[in-house]
Amino acid sequence: MALAIYDHGYRIQTPVRSLFQDRSVESLTETRRSRHIPGSEEHLAEDVDNFFHIDPDARKKQPAVSKDAGKAYEETLQAGKPKPIPILSASKIMTSPVQTITPENNLRQAWLIMEEHEISQLVVVTDENKPLGLITRQEIIDHGTDSTVTIAVTFQKRMIVAAPETELPQIATIFVDYPVTAIPVIDQGDKLQGIITRTDLIRLLINSAHIESWA
């Protein structure tokens, strides 16, 4: 499993796109239009043709290069290239252990836990620690931080989850395409392993200079 959907505590085999509404298509379209500027990938070939005349026979006209000289040139090029950045998995960037709460607790109790740990969401679990959904800071604020309403009637019962081996680009795409604030990490045995938030990704970007140490 790379990414999956949990609904009322059960893994369902339904495409993410069919259950979670994309962010505003119109705003995304405008964003894409704003990228259509000289120098973008879409105009790269055109710009090259405008600024340079490429002679198709130029390669044939180049003087022959000795094997040793060619090898030395390639080694020089390779020495100047930065090392490729490793692709991280969910297990490398997730926060663990995860702060959880049961549906029987109320919103005030959830709020106090969030305040204590300075977090913005809790994973709602059963007494057996099976993940059921998410409750966020904003949802509590909407109902009142002193509310005695139980979490059972307010929490998000449908959530996108990742596996420990899910790669970072897949996770980042979910945050970009869908209005989710956190992605729990759950293994094949339905055990909660960790959680990844937007804040985690921001920290990763800030510390990208040391990203090799995460792998």
Side-chain angles (χ1 to χ4, degrees):
M1 177 194 75
L3 291 163
I5 294 176
Y6 265 60
D7 195 347
H8 291 74
Y10 294 95
R11 191 190 307 264
I12 58 176
Q13 302 300 321
T14 304
V16 171
R17 192 172 297 276
S18 67
L19 293 180
F20 282 82
Q21 184 177 4
D22 288 2
R23 292 180 181 276
S24 171
V25 175
E26 186 174 331
S27 65
L28 286 177
T29 301
E30 290 301 319
T31 301
R32 293 190 181 103
R33 286 176 182 167
S34 69
R35 293 174 182 166
H36 295 177
I37 57 176
S40 68
E41 290 184 10
E42 295 173 1
H43 296 292
L44 183 57
E46 182 180 335
D47 290 343
V48 169
D49 288 340
N50 289 337
F51 286 99
F52 299 99
H53 172 67
I54 300 177
D55 184 353
D57 296 322
R59 185 179 297 275
K60 299 177 183 177
K61 298 176 183 177
Q62 291 177 353
V65 180
S66 69
K67 184 176 180 181
D68 289 342
K71 182 178 179 181
Y73 178 69
E74 286 296 326
E75 289 176 350
T76 301
L77 287 179
Q78 293 298 327
K81 288 183 179 179
K83 294 182 180 179
I85 296 176
I87 296 180
L88 303 178
S89 63
S91 62
K92 297 293 184 181
I93 63 172
M94 67 185 185
T95 298
S96 182
V98 185
Q99 295 300 321
T100 62
I101 198 165
T102 62
E104 294 75 28
N105 290 109
N106 61 46
L107 296 181
R108 173 172 170 72
Q109 291 170 313
W111 177 260
L112 292 176
I113 294 174
M114 289 185 188
E115 287 289 280
E116 178 184 355
H117 296 281
E118 298 182 343
I119 56 178
S120 298
Q121 56 278 309
L122 295 170
V123 177
V124 182
V125 298
T126 65
D127 291 335
E128 293 75 32
N129 210 39
K130 178 181 179 181
L132 295 174
L134 287 169
I135 182 76
T136 69
R137 175 179 287 264
Q138 188 58 52
E139 287 165 339
I140 297 175
I141 292 174
D142 290 343
H143 287 83
T145 57
D146 287 326
S147 175
T148 56
V149 172
T150 62
I151 290 171
V153 298
T154 59
F155 78 96
Q156 302 172 22
K157 301 174 180 64
R158 182 178 289 170
M159 59 183 177
I160 301 174
V161 304
E165 65 273 13
T166 303
E167 294 182 344
L168 178 58
Q170 292 177 283
I171 295 168
T173 298
I174 291 297
F175 283 121
V176 170
D177 289 346
Y178 302 98
V180 298
T181 59
I183 299 177
V185 180
I186 300 174
D187 65 19
Q188 287 292 343
D190 290 329
K191 292 181 186 269
L192 182 62
Q193 300 293 327
I195 191 168
I196 299 171
T197 68
R198 289 180 180 276
T199 304
D200 293 326
L201 292 186
I202 292 172
R203 283 201 195 99
L204 181 60
L205 289 173
I206 293 172
N207 293 289
S208 60
H210 308 289
I211 198 171
E212 293 85 356
S213 65
W214 292 60

